[in-house]
């Protein structure tokens, strides 16, 4: 039986009929790794989310805009673009309920920042304004831009990827500041920015700052989805 992987949708309403969506890369990555993708729109009722999670074997948390800084008791930086308030409520309910029920989770970009904040951590709201670094983490002109990421050998991430240095794409302007409870940082760029986290005392919780779903032609990146599928069986 292939596991069913819930994928949280992004949400937009400006200038259009309000719509929930994800880039197709996410569902294709789940299919390529041997799972069945299942898109999740905004659902705000906790009991509905609890019931829904009984039907789902694992969770893929996608990229998006920024976590509202009031979630970690900070004022909004001018470069911070928050997700829609309904998506914020829906995503936090989904993450908190998934963690309570110990669902396997793979989190990507905003998804990683969301998990970090849900576990009590905080974020660098804008790397360019807050960190002195020669490394570009968001190149708005080049969607295929990559930088090197160094992976800690003493980590599940290293076991999954099987290399201590990989090239990863980078389209994030925020990053983890204070780590959430239980999380361990397992990968960094040379400037010290956290590129991946995992939770040791949890069945499977992995968060990466890059977009492996756009690089699944590389076995290093496809391996992350295979690990989620394996943990969800
Ligand atoms: Mn980066």
């Amino acid at each position: 039986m292939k596991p069913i992987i819930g994928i949280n949708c992004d949400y937009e309403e400006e200038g259009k009929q309000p719509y929930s969506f994800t880039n197709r890369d996410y569902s294709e990555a789940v299919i390529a790794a041997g799972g069945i993708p299942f898109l999740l729109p905004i659902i705000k009722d906790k009991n509905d989310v609890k019931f829904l999670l009984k039907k789902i074997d694992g969770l893929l948390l996608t990229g998006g805009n920024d976590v509202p800084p009031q979630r970690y008791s900070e004022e909004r930086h001018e470069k911070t673009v928050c997700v829609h308030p309904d998506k914020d409520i829906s995503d936090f309910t989904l993450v908190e309920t998934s963690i309570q029920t110990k669902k396997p989770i793979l989190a990507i970009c905003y998804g990683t920042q969301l998990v970090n904040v849900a576990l009590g951590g905080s974020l660098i709201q804008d790397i360019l304004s807050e960190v002195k670094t020669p490394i570009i983490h968001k190149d708005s002109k080049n969607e295929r831009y990559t930088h090197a990421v160094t992976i800690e050998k003493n980590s599940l991430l290293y076991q999954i990827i099987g290399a201590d240095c990989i090239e990863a794409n980078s389209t994030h302007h925020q990053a983890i500041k204070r780590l959430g409870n239980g999380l361990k940082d397992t990968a960094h760029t040379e400037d010290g920015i956290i590129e991946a986290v995992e939770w040791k005392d949890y069945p499977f919780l992995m968060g990466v700052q890059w977009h492996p779903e756009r690089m699944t032609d590389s076995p290093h990146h496809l391996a992350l989805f295979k690990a989620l599928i394996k943990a969800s069986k």
Side-chain angles (χ1 to χ4, degrees):
M1 284 260 282
K2 291 181 179 179
I4 297 174
I5 305 299
I7 302 175
N8 66 329
C9 285
D10 205 343
Y11 177 74
E12 289 285 349
E13 59 183 22
E14 266 175 46
K16 311 199 181 198
Q17 285 279 73
Y19 71 119
S20 296
F21 66 100
T22 62
N23 290 342
R24 187 173 169 183
D25 298 342
Y26 294 109
S27 47
E28 289 298 330
V30 167
I31 292 167
I36 302 172
F38 190 87
L39 299 190
L40 308 174
I42 285 173
I43 308 169
K44 294 202 286 186
D45 186 280
K46 259 184 201 167
N47 288 322
D48 286 355
V49 171
K50 265 186 203 162
F51 185 75
L52 175 72
L53 283 172
K54 288 184 184 159
K55 312 272 179 186
I56 287 172
D57 304 301
L59 193 64
L60 177 61
L61 295 171
T62 57
N65 285 333
D66 302 326
V67 176
Q70 60 264 36
R71 288 279 187 186
Y72 47 97
S73 307
E74 275 189 26
E75 296 285 313
R76 191 183 72 85
H77 185 281
E78 58 174 355
K79 299 278 187 187
T80 296
V81 180
C82 300
V83 296
H84 189 280
D86 290 344
K87 177 172 165 62
D88 173 60
I89 291 168
S90 180
D91 282 349
F92 269 83
T93 305
L94 185 61
V95 170
E96 285 164 1
T97 311
S98 295
I99 287 172
Q100 278 165 17
T101 54
K102 299 245 190 310
K103 287 284 161 191
I105 298 173
L106 175 62
I108 291 173
C109 206
Y110 155 82
T112 298
Q113 294 160 4
L114 168 70
V115 167
N116 186 61
V117 173
L119 290 169
S122 69
L123 302 175
I124 296 166
Q125 288 196 46
D126 187 56
I127 296 170
L128 260 187
S129 338
E130 295 176 42
V131 183
K132 270 193 184 159
T133 169
I135 296 171
I136 298 164
H137 288 277
K138 185 181 174 81
D139 184 348
S140 48
K141 288 179 198 139
N142 179 8
E143 290 229 327
R144 298 183 146 258
Y145 167 81
T146 64
H147 59 48
V149 171
T150 302
I151 298 169
E152 305 285 332
K153 285 201 168 165
N154 179 24
S155 68
L156 178 60
L157 183 66
Y158 178 76
Q159 286 174 35
I160 290 168
I161 289 186
D164 59 4
C165 187
I166 59 165
E167 277 297 311
N169 55 17
S170 193
T171 65
H172 58 114
H173 83 106
Q174 297 199 332
I176 289 173
K177 185 152 74 181
R178 183 182 69 244
L179 275 168
N181 295 320
L183 292 181
K184 181 175 173 247
D185 49 332
T186 56
H188 303 84
T189 35
E190 255 185 27
D191 53 8
I193 292 288
I194 295 173
E195 290 279 343
V197 292
E198 61 192 48
W199 191 357
K200 218 179 156 197
D201 302 320
Y202 190 91
F204 180 85
L205 193 157
M206 178 81 55
V208 296
Q209 197 56 81
W210 65 92
H211 283 273
E213 80 282 5
R214 297 178 192 165
M215 303 181 90
T216 51
D217 49 341
S218 152
H220 286 153
H221 298 285
L222 182 61
L224 286 165
F225 296 94
K226 286 188 171 167
L228 171 66
I229 302 304
K230 194 177 159 199
S232 303
K233 272 182 179 163

